[in-house]
Amino acid sequence: MSGGAQLMWDEAVTEYDFGPGHPMDPIRLALTMRLVEAFGLDDLKDLKVAAAKPAGDSTLRLVHRQDYIDAVRRLSADPAAANGEYGLGTPDDPAFAGMHEASALIAGQSVAAAEAVWRGEVKHGVNFAGGLHHAMHASAAGFCIYNDAALAIARLLEQGAERVAYVDIDVHHGDGVQDAFWNDPRVLTISLHEHPRLLFPGTGWPEESGGPEAEGGAVNLALPGGTGDEGWLRALHSVVPQLLEGFRPQVLVTQHGADTHFEDPLAHLAVSVDAQRLAAESLHGWAHEFSDGRWLALGGGGYAVVDVVPRTWTHLVAIAAGAPLPPETEVPDEWRQLVYAKTGSPDSPRRMTDGREIAVRTWEETGYDPADPLDQAVRATRNAAFPARGMMP
């Protein structure tokens, strides 16, 4: 099913580091790449590992204002001068030395992967260091400095794409990407996230549906706290494939934040690695079904940096490479030893599964249950989004 993939990796992306004690610990990136290598995925003939240059100002300006870029560069050289202006110097987004360079490097990887997919060099591109979906035109937010996901989409549009779909399965609303394309009918943004009453950034209500020139171009599914595997996958399958079938994107861009997991310390969903793997498999399949296989997959949030993130994103890489790992696969001892050496933790995961067996109940199979809060959320989204796209809710 895969047509070749390109994994973007430069060890310097681990310099995206807000400092000790910050949840966005760059060890999650290094451990993911080491797990990819421990499984030998980087040696597969259908997976090319590549690095790209940092995004330059002309590329960053596709989404961000020049005064913001200048501020990031200035505070990158003098982090102590950050005072909260432009969202920099806050507890979520403290300024750090080399901030501009590391952020631009991550953005450059996502943009280069998008270009490779659009040019037909590969079917799939993966940048698990990316997915920094909260950054706005002129401000940092939610651990995100430059919005690489929006920049990749903007580059696709610049190169001639007429329809790009973005599906965000991070536990937090993909607000920055939605904002970037709020009034652009060429982009369909779909975000599946914990309810904004419960979680940052407090947006992503079903009624947020796009600007006057792009009504129905933004779709938001706000999930009840505590939603687990079956409900989460039911929600995904009850909204996303229907919209993609109608929109027929030329490229599918997806964001795979791993913070939906039940061990994640910053949110309140109860999803397993097994469900996250199944979601990645579904999105891969929909890329082939609806966008001729053109798929750019990004990382995102995820703060269980040893137990969850490396396994979930290694599954993502394996799926993109056409060599999915069976869930019962044992984690290589060499990787577990590395975890112990880096973190002192003797209890790293032993298998690529949380041991969950999941049956997906689709909307079409079972219909609407008015007593189920999950179904109420799905119905609210379908009612808000489907008619604007000429679909029955």
Side-chain angles (χ1 to χ4, degrees):
M1 202 172 182
S2 180
Q6 181 165 297
L7 171 63
M8 308 305 299
W9 179 252
D10 185 320
E11 208 73 35
V13 298
T14 62
E15 295 172 13
Y16 189 85
D17 187 356
F18 290 108
H22 194 282
M24 183 77 93
D25 189 335
I27 196 171
R28 69 198 192 120
L29 303 179
L31 289 179
T32 299
M33 191 60 193
R34 302 292 88 81
L35 189 55
V36 166
E37 292 166 346
F39 279 118
L41 298 177
D42 56 321
D43 291 327
L44 292 172
K45 64 180 180 66
D46 284 333
L47 183 68
K48 175 186 176 183
V49 180
K53 295 179 180 179
D57 282 18
S58 62
T59 295
L60 295 173
R61 283 196 302 269
L62 293 172
V63 169
H64 298 290
R65 281 189 350 212
Q66 185 65 52
D67 60 316
Y68 173 63
I69 300 167
D70 291 342
V72 174
R73 183 181 280 110
R74 182 175 66 253
L75 294 173
S76 182
D78 184 14
N83 60 7
E85 189 178 6
Y86 295 104
L88 298 166
T90 66
D92 276 2
D93 296 277
F96 61 92
M99 173 175 61
H100 168 75
E101 292 77 9
S103 303
L105 181 63
I106 290 173
Q109 309 311 302
S110 293
V111 169
E115 291 172 342
V117 169
W118 182 248
R119 290 193 296 260
E121 296 170 7
V122 292
K123 281 291 189 184
H124 310 327
V126 181
N127 178 24
F128 57 74
L132 304 179
H133 59 169
H134 294 307
M136 295 292 183
H137 293 283
S139 67
F143 314 161
C144 304
I145 307 298
Y146 294 140
N147 195 322
D148 65 286
L151 288 164
I153 294 168
R155 177 55 59 82
L156 289 167
L157 298 177
E158 185 180 54
Q159 295 200 337
E162 297 175 348
R163 295 180 311 282
V164 180
Y166 172 76
V167 179
D168 188 318
I169 59 173
D170 193 288
V171 78
H172 302 92
H173 176 226
D175 56 339
V177 182
Q178 174 180 285
D179 182 74
F181 304 104
W182 180 251
N183 207 33
D184 192 330
R186 298 172 295 174
V187 181
L188 172 65
T189 65
I190 307 171
S191 181
L192 186 79
H193 49 266
E194 187 174 345
H195 200 284
R197 280 201 188 98
L198 305 174
L199 198 65
F200 175 90
T203 56
W205 299 78
E207 296 76 19
E208 297 172 32
S209 58
E213 297 180 17
E215 183 60 35
V219 179
N220 289 290
L221 210 171
L223 298 169
T227 297
D229 289 347
E230 291 191 358
W232 188 67
L233 289 170
R234 175 174 173 81
L236 183 75
H237 283 260
S238 298
V239 170
V240 174
Q242 297 86 344
L243 290 165
L244 294 180
E245 183 177 20
F247 189 62
R248 290 285 165 176
Q250 293 166 294
V251 185
L252 177 62
V253 180
T254 58
Q255 196 267 23
H256 296 258
D259 43 9
T260 53
H261 195 272
F262 56 80
E263 289 188 12
D264 197 274
L266 300 189
H268 319 96
L269 296 191
V271 174
S272 68
V273 165
D274 301 287
Q276 293 171 339
R277 173 183 54 81
L278 290 173
E281 287 182 348
S282 294
L283 289 161
H284 174 227
W286 294 332
H288 282 276
E289 186 173 357
F290 302 123
S291 60
D292 195 30
R294 289 184 289 269
W295 181 34
L296 172 61
L298 307 173
Y303 309 102
V305 299
V306 173
D307 288 355
V308 177
V309 174
R311 289 188 295 159
T312 294
W313 291 348
T314 297
H315 275 304
L316 177 64
V317 172
I319 290 164
L325 295 167
E328 65 276 8
T329 302
E330 292 190 0
V331 173
D333 285 341
E334 65 186 89
W335 185 81
R336 300 186 70 246
Q337 291 167 7
L338 175 68
V339 168
Y340 181 71
K342 294 288 187 181
T343 70
S345 172
D347 298 321
S348 55
R350 295 180 178 274
R351 294 192 301 159
M352 293 295 288
T353 177
D354 286 332
R356 302 285 183 89
E357 294 185 6
I358 307 165
V360 180
R361 302 175 302 111
T362 68
W363 191 268
E364 288 74 17
E365 290 170 342
T366 65
Y368 170 57
D369 180 356
D372 184 350
L374 185 282
D375 275 18
Q376 293 170 18
V378 171
R379 181 158 187 161
T381 296
R382 290 171 64 115
N383 284 342
F386 281 25
R389 307 209 68 83
M391 300 164 58
M392 290 292 292

